[in-house]
Amino acid sequence: MKVWLDGKLVDEKDATVSVFDHGVLYGDGVFEGIRVYGGRVFKRDAHMDRLFDSARQIRLAIPYTKQEIVEAMEETIAANAIIDGYIRLVVTRGPGTLGLSPFKCANPCVYVIADQIALYPQEMYDNGMAVIVAKTLRTSANMLDPGVKSLNYLNNIVAKIEAIDAGVGEAIMLNVDGYVAECTGDNLFIVETGGVVTPPLSAGILPGITRAFVLGLAAELGMGATEENITPERLYAADECFLTGSAAEVIAVTKIDGAIIGTGKAGPVTQKLLAAFRAYIATGKWS
Ligand code: PMP
């Protein structure tokens, strides 16, 4: 595998970062997880905007333009002959001193990995996945804004451990006000009387690119599509529940804390949205 690192493609074994990099020492940096379909980057501009917004919020100056980063992704896709795959784009603060100050790190490190994607099995799209509601709360915007896609994922990792301990695939994280925020690596939707509802950005979530796309698709399909705070009680009582993310696309949740949601199978609204999502990708008419 070839990895794009600080301006050039290198062999995987030579793709290394410094032990003094604040990305390693402190989780100080930002990243994107991006889908490749048919050899092309999906929602390229939205990912570039989110990456640069995340970096700006932590006062990290990315030493490339958005166009240069897009070209780096394209080079990496081509070098690894990726058709349907996944890109991990990372910007670390770069090597510095052992102190916290990010301003002693002169050279942010940028790298791009393009790889095959590990998909959930089709059975899970048909029958849905089991999840739990984690005890670990999502950090609120006045702690570490979940809108910043930072390299510091420990909050999510601790919740993910809860999910693994419970033998399920994902954990739903509540915010400090007790409302549903999101999962450890996906956004969450519920379906009520044929319309979709998802927590607002103010609930303290990552502004998911798939989430925004699915909200648009739902509206186009004439479904209700609203952003509202969701209590755990409302979640358990939903007709359907599904998760969205670049890797998962749209995947049904049919069990929460052992309680069956809806019929226990992927519901009609979830299936309709997944079909519309995949049909849109298949047109190839997107950027
Ligand atoms: N929330 C979190 C915490 C995530 O890590 C992700 C995946 N990047 C998402 C939601 C889904 O975002 P997207 O649709 O942009 O992949």
Side-chain angles (χ1 to χ4, degrees), residues 43 50 181-182 186-189 196-203 205-218 225-228 242-246 249-250 277:
K43 296 281 174 192
R50 189 171 67 185
E182 61 182 337
D186 292 302
N187 290 110
L188 179 140
F189 284 71
V196 300
V197 183
T198 193
L201 299 184
S202 60
I205 59 172
L206 183 79
I209 288 166
T210 321
R211 170 188 178 277
F213 180 55
V214 166
L215 274 172
L217 270 183
T226 54
E227 296 171 70
E228 286 171 29
F242 63 86
L243 310 183
T244 62
S246 294
E249 299 176 331
V250 173
F277 188 111

PDB file of all heavy atoms in Angstrom, residues 43 50 181-182 186-189 196-203 205-218 225-228 242-246 249-250 277:
ATOM      1  N   LYS A  43     -18.805  13.215  -1.751  1.00  0.00           N
ATOM      2  CA  LYS A  43     -19.022  14.427  -0.936  1.00  0.00           C
ATOM      3  C   LYS A  43     -17.688  15.122  -0.594  1.00  0.00           C
ATOM      4  O   LYS A  43     -17.451  15.537   0.556  1.00  0.00           O
ATOM      5  CB  LYS A  43     -19.782  14.084   0.355  1.00  0.00           C
ATOM      6  CG  LYS A  43     -21.177  13.559   0.115  1.00  0.00           C
ATOM      7  CD  LYS A  43     -22.136  14.678  -0.194  1.00  0.00           C
ATOM      8  CE  LYS A  43     -23.499  14.155  -0.578  1.00  0.00           C
ATOM      9  NZ  LYS A  43     -24.362  15.185  -1.149  1.00  0.00           N
ATOM     10  N   ARG A  50     -15.542  20.458   6.215  1.00  0.00           N
ATOM     11  CA  ARG A  50     -15.552  20.035   7.623  1.00  0.00           C
ATOM     12  C   ARG A  50     -14.134  19.928   8.172  1.00  0.00           C
ATOM     13  O   ARG A  50     -13.866  20.327   9.310  1.00  0.00           O
ATOM     14  CB  ARG A  50     -16.306  18.709   7.780  1.00  0.00           C
ATOM     15  CG  ARG A  50     -16.527  18.343   9.240  1.00  0.00           C
ATOM     16  CD  ARG A  50     -17.459  17.159   9.409  1.00  0.00           C
ATOM     17  NE  ARG A  50     -16.879  15.934   8.908  1.00  0.00           N
ATOM     18  CZ  ARG A  50     -17.527  14.760   8.856  1.00  0.00           C
ATOM     19  NH1 ARG A  50     -18.778  14.677   9.267  1.00  0.00           N
ATOM     20  NH2 ARG A  50     -16.934  13.683   8.410  1.00  0.00           N
ATOM     21  N   ALA A 181     -27.595  12.029  21.635  1.00  0.00           N
ATOM     22  CA  ALA A 181     -26.667  12.802  20.804  1.00  0.00           C
ATOM     23  C   ALA A 181     -26.399  12.003  19.517  1.00  0.00           C
ATOM     24  O   ALA A 181     -26.998  12.269  18.479  1.00  0.00           O
ATOM     25  CB  ALA A 181     -25.395  13.115  21.574  1.00  0.00           C
ATOM     26  N   GLU A 182     -25.532  11.013  19.611  1.00  0.00           N
ATOM     27  CA  GLU A 182     -25.166  10.229  18.421  1.00  0.00           C
ATOM     28  C   GLU A 182     -24.513   8.941  18.890  1.00  0.00           C
ATOM     29  O   GLU A 182     -24.386   8.709  20.092  1.00  0.00           O
ATOM     30  CB  GLU A 182     -24.200  11.036  17.550  1.00  0.00           C
ATOM     31  CG  GLU A 182     -22.899  11.391  18.272  1.00  0.00           C
ATOM     32  CD  GLU A 182     -21.942  12.229  17.440  1.00  0.00           C
ATOM     33  OE1 GLU A 182     -22.033  12.208  16.198  1.00  0.00           O
ATOM     34  OE2 GLU A 182     -21.087  12.899  18.051  1.00  0.00           O
ATOM     35  N   ASP A 186     -21.296   7.117  14.312  1.00  0.00           N
ATOM     36  CA  ASP A 186     -22.416   7.302  13.378  1.00  0.00           C
ATOM     37  C   ASP A 186     -23.423   8.282  13.973  1.00  0.00           C
ATOM     38  O   ASP A 186     -23.524   8.392  15.197  1.00  0.00           O
ATOM     39  CB  ASP A 186     -23.166   5.967  13.157  1.00  0.00           C
ATOM     40  CG  ASP A 186     -22.337   4.947  12.412  1.00  0.00           C
ATOM     41  OD1 ASP A 186     -21.905   5.242  11.301  1.00  0.00           O
ATOM     42  OD2 ASP A 186     -22.114   3.850  12.961  1.00  0.00           O
ATOM     43  N   ASN A 187     -24.201   8.927  13.128  1.00  0.00           N
ATOM     44  CA  ASN A 187     -25.332   9.720  13.603  1.00  0.00           C
ATOM     45  C   ASN A 187     -26.568   8.826  13.701  1.00  0.00           C
ATOM     46  O   ASN A 187     -26.587   7.733  13.139  1.00  0.00           O
ATOM     47  CB  ASN A 187     -25.613  10.892  12.653  1.00  0.00           C
ATOM     48  CG  ASN A 187     -24.520  11.949  12.708  1.00  0.00           C
ATOM     49  OD1 ASN A 187     -23.758  12.113  11.756  1.00  0.00           O
ATOM     50  ND2 ASN A 187     -24.431  12.649  13.824  1.00  0.00           N
ATOM     51  N   LEU A 188     -27.567   9.312  14.428  1.00  0.00           N
ATOM     52  CA  LEU A 188     -28.756   8.493  14.690  1.00  0.00           C
ATOM     53  C   LEU A 188     -30.035   9.186  14.213  1.00  0.00           C
ATOM     54  O   LEU A 188     -30.164  10.408  14.344  1.00  0.00           O
ATOM     55  CB  LEU A 188     -28.837   8.220  16.197  1.00  0.00           C
ATOM     56  CG  LEU A 188     -30.037   7.406  16.665  1.00  0.00           C
ATOM     57  CD1 LEU A 188     -29.628   6.408  17.748  1.00  0.00           C
ATOM     58  CD2 LEU A 188     -31.153   8.301  17.189  1.00  0.00           C
ATOM     59  N   PHE A 189     -30.934   8.384  13.685  1.00  0.00           N
ATOM     60  CA  PHE A 189     -32.267   8.859  13.282  1.00  0.00           C
ATOM     61  C   PHE A 189     -33.311   7.936  13.901  1.00  0.00           C
ATOM     62  O   PHE A 189     -33.053   6.746  14.086  1.00  0.00           O
ATOM     63  CB  PHE A 189     -32.471   8.756  11.759  1.00  0.00           C
ATOM     64  CG  PHE A 189     -31.774   9.807  10.947  1.00  0.00           C
ATOM     65  CD1 PHE A 189     -30.400   9.803  10.803  1.00  0.00           C
ATOM     66  CD2 PHE A 189     -32.503  10.794  10.288  1.00  0.00           C
ATOM     67  CE1 PHE A 189     -29.750  10.755  10.023  1.00  0.00           C
ATOM     68  CE2 PHE A 189     -31.867  11.759   9.513  1.00  0.00           C
ATOM     69  CZ  PHE A 189     -30.494  11.742   9.376  1.00  0.00           C
ATOM     70  N   VAL A 196     -38.728  11.161   9.362  1.00  0.00           N
ATOM     71  CA  VAL A 196     -37.492  10.931  10.110  1.00  0.00           C
ATOM     72  C   VAL A 196     -37.200  12.114  11.036  1.00  0.00           C
ATOM     73  O   VAL A 196     -37.493  13.265  10.724  1.00  0.00           O
ATOM     74  CB  VAL A 196     -36.275  10.672   9.183  1.00  0.00           C
ATOM     75  CG1 VAL A 196     -36.511   9.446   8.308  1.00  0.00           C
ATOM     76  CG2 VAL A 196     -35.916  11.881   8.335  1.00  0.00           C
ATOM     77  N   VAL A 197     -36.636  11.788  12.192  1.00  0.00           N
ATOM     78  CA  VAL A 197     -36.255  12.788  13.186  1.00  0.00           C
ATOM     79  C   VAL A 197     -34.831  12.477  13.614  1.00  0.00           C
ATOM     80  O   VAL A 197     -34.492  11.310  13.861  1.00  0.00           O
ATOM     81  CB  VAL A 197     -37.181  12.731  14.431  1.00  0.00           C
ATOM     82  CG1 VAL A 197     -36.823  13.834  15.419  1.00  0.00           C
ATOM     83  CG2 VAL A 197     -38.644  12.821  14.037  1.00  0.00           C
ATOM     84  N   THR A 198     -34.002  13.505  13.691  1.00  0.00           N
ATOM     85  CA  THR A 198     -32.618  13.309  14.129  1.00  0.00           C
ATOM     86  C   THR A 198     -32.247  14.445  15.078  1.00  0.00           C
ATOM     87  O   THR A 198     -32.795  15.550  14.960  1.00  0.00           O
ATOM     88  CB  THR A 198     -31.673  13.234  12.892  1.00  0.00           C
ATOM     89  OG1 THR A 198     -30.398  12.742  13.291  1.00  0.00           O
ATOM     90  CG2 THR A 198     -31.501  14.581  12.212  1.00  0.00           C
ATOM     91  N   PRO A 199     -31.361  14.194  16.035  1.00  0.00           N
ATOM     92  CA  PRO A 199     -31.003  15.283  16.953  1.00  0.00           C
ATOM     93  C   PRO A 199     -30.389  16.477  16.205  1.00  0.00           C
ATOM     94  O   PRO A 199     -29.697  16.291  15.201  1.00  0.00           O
ATOM     95  CB  PRO A 199     -29.961  14.633  17.872  1.00  0.00           C
ATOM     96  CG  PRO A 199     -30.249  13.171  17.807  1.00  0.00           C
ATOM     97  CD  PRO A 199     -30.719  12.921  16.407  1.00  0.00           C
ATOM     98  N   PRO A 200     -30.665  17.696  16.692  1.00  0.00           N
ATOM     99  CA  PRO A 200     -30.084  18.888  16.062  1.00  0.00           C
ATOM    100  C   PRO A 200     -28.589  18.989  16.385  1.00  0.00           C
ATOM    101  O   PRO A 200     -28.123  18.354  17.340  1.00  0.00           O
ATOM    102  CB  PRO A 200     -30.851  20.035  16.727  1.00  0.00           C
ATOM    103  CG  PRO A 200     -31.237  19.496  18.067  1.00  0.00           C
ATOM    104  CD  PRO A 200     -31.462  18.020  17.882  1.00  0.00           C
ATOM    105  N   LEU A 201     -27.867  19.795  15.627  1.00  0.00           N
ATOM    106  CA  LEU A 201     -26.428  19.965  15.901  1.00  0.00           C
ATOM    107  C   LEU A 201     -26.219  20.465  17.326  1.00  0.00           C
ATOM    108  O   LEU A 201     -25.229  20.145  17.969  1.00  0.00           O
ATOM    109  CB  LEU A 201     -25.789  20.924  14.881  1.00  0.00           C
ATOM    110  CG  LEU A 201     -25.857  20.475  13.407  1.00  0.00           C
ATOM    111  CD1 LEU A 201     -25.100  21.461  12.515  1.00  0.00           C
ATOM    112  CD2 LEU A 201     -25.314  19.062  13.215  1.00  0.00           C
ATOM    113  N   SER A 202     -27.212  21.234  17.837  1.00  0.00           N
ATOM    114  CA  SER A 202     -27.078  21.789  19.193  1.00  0.00           C
ATOM    115  C   SER A 202     -27.127  20.699  20.267  1.00  0.00           C
ATOM    116  O   SER A 202     -26.832  20.966  21.431  1.00  0.00           O
ATOM    117  CB  SER A 202     -28.183  22.815  19.451  1.00  0.00           C
ATOM    118  OG  SER A 202     -29.437  22.186  19.323  1.00  0.00           O
ATOM    119  N   ALA A 203     -27.483  19.460  19.891  1.00  0.00           N
ATOM    120  CA  ALA A 203     -27.450  18.356  20.864  1.00  0.00           C
ATOM    121  C   ALA A 203     -26.007  17.940  21.140  1.00  0.00           C
ATOM    122  O   ALA A 203     -25.748  17.134  22.035  1.00  0.00           O
ATOM    123  CB  ALA A 203     -28.253  17.165  20.363  1.00  0.00           C
ATOM    124  N   ILE A 205     -23.240  17.053  18.483  1.00  0.00           N
ATOM    125  CA  ILE A 205     -22.948  15.901  17.620  1.00  0.00           C
ATOM    126  C   ILE A 205     -21.986  16.326  16.520  1.00  0.00           C
ATOM    127  O   ILE A 205     -21.815  17.524  16.267  1.00  0.00           O
ATOM    128  CB  ILE A 205     -24.237  15.353  16.945  1.00  0.00           C
ATOM    129  CG1 ILE A 205     -24.917  16.447  16.083  1.00  0.00           C
ATOM    130  CG2 ILE A 205     -25.200  14.827  17.993  1.00  0.00           C
ATOM    131  CD1 ILE A 205     -26.072  15.932  15.247  1.00  0.00           C
ATOM    132  N   LEU A 206     -21.404  15.328  15.868  1.00  0.00           N
ATOM    133  CA  LEU A 206     -20.637  15.625  14.669  1.00  0.00           C
ATOM    134  C   LEU A 206     -21.639  15.950  13.560  1.00  0.00           C
ATOM    135  O   LEU A 206     -22.617  15.221  13.394  1.00  0.00           O
ATOM    136  CB  LEU A 206     -19.797  14.407  14.259  1.00  0.00           C
ATOM    137  CG  LEU A 206     -18.899  14.676  13.051  1.00  0.00           C
ATOM    138  CD1 LEU A 206     -17.654  15.447  13.471  1.00  0.00           C
ATOM    139  CD2 LEU A 206     -18.501  13.392  12.351  1.00  0.00           C
ATOM    140  N   PRO A 207     -21.415  17.046  12.829  1.00  0.00           N
ATOM    141  CA  PRO A 207     -22.307  17.307  11.689  1.00  0.00           C
ATOM    142  C   PRO A 207     -22.017  16.307  10.577  1.00  0.00           C
ATOM    143  O   PRO A 207     -21.215  16.550   9.666  1.00  0.00           O
ATOM    144  CB  PRO A 207     -21.970  18.747  11.280  1.00  0.00           C
ATOM    145  CG  PRO A 207     -20.614  19.012  11.817  1.00  0.00           C
ATOM    146  CD  PRO A 207     -20.383  18.075  12.979  1.00  0.00           C
ATOM    147  N   GLY A 208     -22.629  15.162  10.684  1.00  0.00           N
ATOM    148  CA  GLY A 208     -22.340  14.060   9.763  1.00  0.00           C
ATOM    149  C   GLY A 208     -22.717  14.425   8.334  1.00  0.00           C
ATOM    150  O   GLY A 208     -23.774  15.023   8.086  1.00  0.00           O
ATOM    151  N   ILE A 209     -21.876  14.035   7.425  1.00  0.00           N
ATOM    152  CA  ILE A 209     -22.116  14.345   6.014  1.00  0.00           C
ATOM    153  C   ILE A 209     -23.197  13.421   5.472  1.00  0.00           C
ATOM    154  O   ILE A 209     -24.057  13.823   4.694  1.00  0.00           O
ATOM    155  CB  ILE A 209     -20.769  14.299   5.267  1.00  0.00           C
ATOM    156  CG1 ILE A 209     -19.981  15.549   5.711  1.00  0.00           C
ATOM    157  CG2 ILE A 209     -20.957  14.239   3.748  1.00  0.00           C
ATOM    158  CD1 ILE A 209     -18.545  15.577   5.392  1.00  0.00           C
ATOM    159  N   THR A 210     -23.212  12.187   5.939  1.00  0.00           N
ATOM    160  CA  THR A 210     -24.274  11.257   5.546  1.00  0.00           C
ATOM    161  C   THR A 210     -25.601  11.716   6.154  1.00  0.00           C
ATOM    162  O   THR A 210     -26.647  11.638   5.512  1.00  0.00           O
ATOM    163  CB  THR A 210     -23.933   9.832   6.013  1.00  0.00           C
ATOM    164  OG1 THR A 210     -22.534   9.616   5.835  1.00  0.00           O
ATOM    165  CG2 THR A 210     -24.712   8.788   5.243  1.00  0.00           C
ATOM    166  N   ARG A 211     -25.560  12.195   7.389  1.00  0.00           N
ATOM    167  CA  ARG A 211     -26.762  12.713   8.063  1.00  0.00           C
ATOM    168  C   ARG A 211     -27.406  13.807   7.218  1.00  0.00           C
ATOM    169  O   ARG A 211     -28.618  13.786   6.968  1.00  0.00           O
ATOM    170  CB  ARG A 211     -26.361  13.261   9.440  1.00  0.00           C
ATOM    171  CG  ARG A 211     -27.420  14.043  10.188  1.00  0.00           C
ATOM    172  CD  ARG A 211     -26.809  14.686  11.438  1.00  0.00           C
ATOM    173  NE  ARG A 211     -27.758  15.500  12.180  1.00  0.00           N
ATOM    174  CZ  ARG A 211     -28.045  16.765  11.876  1.00  0.00           C
ATOM    175  NH1 ARG A 211     -27.453  17.360  10.848  1.00  0.00           N
ATOM    176  NH2 ARG A 211     -28.915  17.434  12.601  1.00  0.00           N
ATOM    177  N   ALA A 212     -26.597  14.772   6.776  1.00  0.00           N
ATOM    178  CA  ALA A 212     -27.132  15.885   5.982  1.00  0.00           C
ATOM    179  C   ALA A 212     -27.705  15.357   4.671  1.00  0.00           C
ATOM    180  O   ALA A 212     -28.785  15.785   4.223  1.00  0.00           O
ATOM    181  CB  ALA A 212     -26.030  16.908   5.709  1.00  0.00           C
ATOM    182  N   PHE A 213     -26.996  14.416   4.063  1.00  0.00           N
ATOM    183  CA  PHE A 213     -27.455  13.863   2.786  1.00  0.00           C
ATOM    184  C   PHE A 213     -28.790  13.127   2.968  1.00  0.00           C
ATOM    185  O   PHE A 213     -29.717  13.291   2.170  1.00  0.00           O
ATOM    186  CB  PHE A 213     -26.363  12.940   2.222  1.00  0.00           C
ATOM    187  CG  PHE A 213     -26.722  12.305   0.917  1.00  0.00           C
ATOM    188  CD1 PHE A 213     -27.107  13.073  -0.159  1.00  0.00           C
ATOM    189  CD2 PHE A 213     -26.695  10.930   0.772  1.00  0.00           C
ATOM    190  CE1 PHE A 213     -27.461  12.495  -1.372  1.00  0.00           C
ATOM    191  CE2 PHE A 213     -27.029  10.341  -0.432  1.00  0.00           C
ATOM    192  CZ  PHE A 213     -27.423  11.122  -1.505  1.00  0.00           C
ATOM    193  N   VAL A 214     -28.890  12.338   4.046  1.00  0.00           N
ATOM    194  CA  VAL A 214     -30.114  11.558   4.294  1.00  0.00           C
ATOM    195  C   VAL A 214     -31.292  12.483   4.646  1.00  0.00           C
ATOM    196  O   VAL A 214     -32.424  12.237   4.215  1.00  0.00           O
ATOM    197  CB  VAL A 214     -29.855  10.487   5.384  1.00  0.00           C
ATOM    198  CG1 VAL A 214     -31.152   9.888   5.907  1.00  0.00           C
ATOM    199  CG2 VAL A 214     -28.953   9.387   4.822  1.00  0.00           C
ATOM    200  N   LEU A 215     -31.030  13.562   5.361  1.00  0.00           N
ATOM    201  CA  LEU A 215     -32.104  14.535   5.643  1.00  0.00           C
ATOM    202  C   LEU A 215     -32.648  15.087   4.324  1.00  0.00           C
ATOM    203  O   LEU A 215     -33.868  15.222   4.151  1.00  0.00           O
ATOM    204  CB  LEU A 215     -31.569  15.684   6.511  1.00  0.00           C
ATOM    205  CG  LEU A 215     -31.575  15.480   8.021  1.00  0.00           C
ATOM    206  CD1 LEU A 215     -30.840  16.631   8.725  1.00  0.00           C
ATOM    207  CD2 LEU A 215     -33.007  15.350   8.571  1.00  0.00           C
ATOM    208  N   GLY A 216     -31.742  15.372   3.402  1.00  0.00           N
ATOM    209  CA  GLY A 216     -32.148  15.883   2.085  1.00  0.00           C
ATOM    210  C   GLY A 216     -32.922  14.841   1.287  1.00  0.00           C
ATOM    211  O   GLY A 216     -33.951  15.156   0.679  1.00  0.00           O
ATOM    212  N   LEU A 217     -32.432  13.601   1.323  1.00  0.00           N
ATOM    213  CA  LEU A 217     -33.112  12.513   0.600  1.00  0.00           C
ATOM    214  C   LEU A 217     -34.529  12.319   1.131  1.00  0.00           C
ATOM    215  O   LEU A 217     -35.475  12.167   0.351  1.00  0.00           O
ATOM    216  CB  LEU A 217     -32.368  11.189   0.816  1.00  0.00           C
ATOM    217  CG  LEU A 217     -31.253  10.757  -0.116  1.00  0.00           C
ATOM    218  CD1 LEU A 217     -30.763   9.373   0.296  1.00  0.00           C
ATOM    219  CD2 LEU A 217     -31.701  10.756  -1.569  1.00  0.00           C
ATOM    220  N   ALA A 218     -34.658  12.333   2.463  1.00  0.00           N
ATOM    221  CA  ALA A 218     -35.976  12.124   3.088  1.00  0.00           C
ATOM    222  C   ALA A 218     -36.937  13.218   2.628  1.00  0.00           C
ATOM    223  O   ALA A 218     -38.086  12.933   2.263  1.00  0.00           O
ATOM    224  CB  ALA A 218     -35.842  12.107   4.604  1.00  0.00           C
ATOM    225  N   ALA A 225     -38.893  15.440   7.663  1.00  0.00           N
ATOM    226  CA  ALA A 225     -37.471  15.346   8.010  1.00  0.00           C
ATOM    227  C   ALA A 225     -37.157  16.488   8.965  1.00  0.00           C
ATOM    228  O   ALA A 225     -37.052  17.638   8.539  1.00  0.00           O
ATOM    229  CB  ALA A 225     -36.617  15.437   6.752  1.00  0.00           C
ATOM    230  N   THR A 226     -37.100  16.167  10.253  1.00  0.00           N
ATOM    231  CA  THR A 226     -36.914  17.242  11.228  1.00  0.00           C
ATOM    232  C   THR A 226     -35.745  16.956  12.166  1.00  0.00           C
ATOM    233  O   THR A 226     -35.341  15.813  12.362  1.00  0.00           O
ATOM    234  CB  THR A 226     -38.186  17.453  12.093  1.00  0.00           C
ATOM    235  OG1 THR A 226     -38.530  16.195  12.682  1.00  0.00           O
ATOM    236  CG2 THR A 226     -39.354  17.953  11.285  1.00  0.00           C
ATOM    237  N   GLU A 227     -35.232  18.037  12.750  1.00  0.00           N
ATOM    238  CA  GLU A 227     -34.160  17.943  13.743  1.00  0.00           C
ATOM    239  C   GLU A 227     -34.764  18.342  15.081  1.00  0.00           C
ATOM    240  O   GLU A 227     -35.185  19.488  15.259  1.00  0.00           O
ATOM    241  CB  GLU A 227     -33.020  18.882  13.354  1.00  0.00           C
ATOM    242  CG  GLU A 227     -32.368  18.507  12.039  1.00  0.00           C
ATOM    243  CD  GLU A 227     -31.384  19.557  11.561  1.00  0.00           C
ATOM    244  OE1 GLU A 227     -30.320  19.709  12.186  1.00  0.00           O
ATOM    245  OE2 GLU A 227     -31.705  20.232  10.572  1.00  0.00           O
ATOM    246  N   GLU A 228     -34.839  17.383  15.984  1.00  0.00           N
ATOM    247  CA  GLU A 228     -35.458  17.641  17.294  1.00  0.00           C
ATOM    248  C   GLU A 228     -34.700  16.880  18.367  1.00  0.00           C
ATOM    249  O   GLU A 228     -34.157  15.805  18.087  1.00  0.00           O
ATOM    250  CB  GLU A 228     -36.905  17.104  17.310  1.00  0.00           C
ATOM    251  CG  GLU A 228     -37.886  17.919  16.525  1.00  0.00           C
ATOM    252  CD  GLU A 228     -39.238  17.200  16.418  1.00  0.00           C
ATOM    253  OE1 GLU A 228     -39.587  16.423  17.330  1.00  0.00           O
ATOM    254  OE2 GLU A 228     -39.908  17.409  15.392  1.00  0.00           O
ATOM    255  N   PHE A 242     -32.390   4.153  12.792  1.00  0.00           N
ATOM    256  CA  PHE A 242     -31.257   3.778  11.942  1.00  0.00           C
ATOM    257  C   PHE A 242     -30.085   4.722  12.170  1.00  0.00           C
ATOM    258  O   PHE A 242     -30.243   5.806  12.742  1.00  0.00           O
ATOM    259  CB  PHE A 242     -31.661   3.717  10.453  1.00  0.00           C
ATOM    260  CG  PHE A 242     -32.126   5.024   9.852  1.00  0.00           C
ATOM    261  CD1 PHE A 242     -31.230   5.946   9.328  1.00  0.00           C
ATOM    262  CD2 PHE A 242     -33.483   5.320   9.790  1.00  0.00           C
ATOM    263  CE1 PHE A 242     -31.665   7.137   8.756  1.00  0.00           C
ATOM    264  CE2 PHE A 242     -33.935   6.519   9.222  1.00  0.00           C
ATOM    265  CZ  PHE A 242     -33.020   7.426   8.708  1.00  0.00           C
ATOM    266  N   LEU A 243     -28.921   4.266  11.752  1.00  0.00           N
ATOM    267  CA  LEU A 243     -27.699   5.045  11.901  1.00  0.00           C
ATOM    268  C   LEU A 243     -27.191   5.460  10.524  1.00  0.00           C
ATOM    269  O   LEU A 243     -27.428   4.747   9.537  1.00  0.00           O
ATOM    270  CB  LEU A 243     -26.611   4.214  12.597  1.00  0.00           C
ATOM    271  CG  LEU A 243     -27.010   3.518  13.898  1.00  0.00           C
ATOM    272  CD1 LEU A 243     -25.797   2.794  14.487  1.00  0.00           C
ATOM    273  CD2 LEU A 243     -27.576   4.521  14.892  1.00  0.00           C
ATOM    274  N   THR A 244     -26.504   6.578  10.467  1.00  0.00           N
ATOM    275  CA  THR A 244     -25.894   7.001   9.203  1.00  0.00           C
ATOM    276  C   THR A 244     -24.418   7.307   9.421  1.00  0.00           C
ATOM    277  O   THR A 244     -24.020   7.807  10.467  1.00  0.00           O
ATOM    278  CB  THR A 244     -26.558   8.288   8.643  1.00  0.00           C
ATOM    279  OG1 THR A 244     -26.357   9.366   9.576  1.00  0.00           O
ATOM    280  CG2 THR A 244     -28.032   8.104   8.372  1.00  0.00           C
ATOM    281  N   GLY A 245     -23.630   7.001   8.418  1.00  0.00           N
ATOM    282  CA  GLY A 245     -22.199   7.314   8.470  1.00  0.00           C
ATOM    283  C   GLY A 245     -21.572   6.982   7.133  1.00  0.00           C
ATOM    284  O   GLY A 245     -22.155   6.211   6.354  1.00  0.00           O
ATOM    285  N   SER A 246     -20.413   7.537   6.878  1.00  0.00           N
ATOM    286  CA  SER A 246     -19.757   7.318   5.587  1.00  0.00           C
ATOM    287  C   SER A 246     -19.539   5.839   5.322  1.00  0.00           C
ATOM    288  O   SER A 246     -19.710   5.376   4.201  1.00  0.00           O
ATOM    289  CB  SER A 246     -18.407   8.040   5.561  1.00  0.00           C
ATOM    290  OG  SER A 246     -18.636   9.423   5.621  1.00  0.00           O
ATOM    291  N   GLU A 249     -23.331   3.873   5.702  1.00  0.00           N
ATOM    292  CA  GLU A 249     -24.384   4.459   4.852  1.00  0.00           C
ATOM    293  C   GLU A 249     -25.647   4.619   5.703  1.00  0.00           C
ATOM    294  O   GLU A 249     -25.706   5.527   6.517  1.00  0.00           O
ATOM    295  CB  GLU A 249     -24.627   3.615   3.591  1.00  0.00           C
ATOM    296  CG  GLU A 249     -23.378   3.511   2.718  1.00  0.00           C
ATOM    297  CD  GLU A 249     -23.540   2.613   1.524  1.00  0.00           C
ATOM    298  OE1 GLU A 249     -24.322   1.662   1.582  1.00  0.00           O
ATOM    299  OE2 GLU A 249     -22.843   2.864   0.508  1.00  0.00           O
ATOM    300  N   VAL A 250     -26.636   3.719   5.534  1.00  0.00           N
ATOM    301  CA  VAL A 250     -27.870   3.783   6.337  1.00  0.00           C
ATOM    302  C   VAL A 250     -28.093   2.385   6.868  1.00  0.00           C
ATOM    303  O   VAL A 250     -28.290   1.457   6.086  1.00  0.00           O
ATOM    304  CB  VAL A 250     -29.072   4.198   5.451  1.00  0.00           C
ATOM    305  CG1 VAL A 250     -30.378   4.101   6.234  1.00  0.00           C
ATOM    306  CG2 VAL A 250     -28.873   5.608   4.890  1.00  0.00           C
ATOM    307  N   PHE A 277     -30.406   6.003  -1.376  1.00  0.00           N
ATOM    308  CA  PHE A 277     -28.987   6.336  -1.204  1.00  0.00           C
ATOM    309  C   PHE A 277     -28.170   5.581  -2.238  1.00  0.00           C
ATOM    310  O   PHE A 277     -27.373   6.157  -2.993  1.00  0.00           O
ATOM    311  CB  PHE A 277     -28.571   5.941   0.222  1.00  0.00           C
ATOM    312  CG  PHE A 277     -27.204   6.379   0.624  1.00  0.00           C
ATOM    313  CD1 PHE A 277     -27.034   7.372   1.587  1.00  0.00           C
ATOM    314  CD2 PHE A 277     -26.065   5.801   0.080  1.00  0.00           C
ATOM    315  CE1 PHE A 277     -25.771   7.777   1.973  1.00  0.00           C
ATOM    316  CE2 PHE A 277     -24.799   6.195   0.465  1.00  0.00           C
ATOM    317  CZ  PHE A 277     -24.648   7.186   1.419  1.00  0.00           C
TER     318      PHE A 277
END
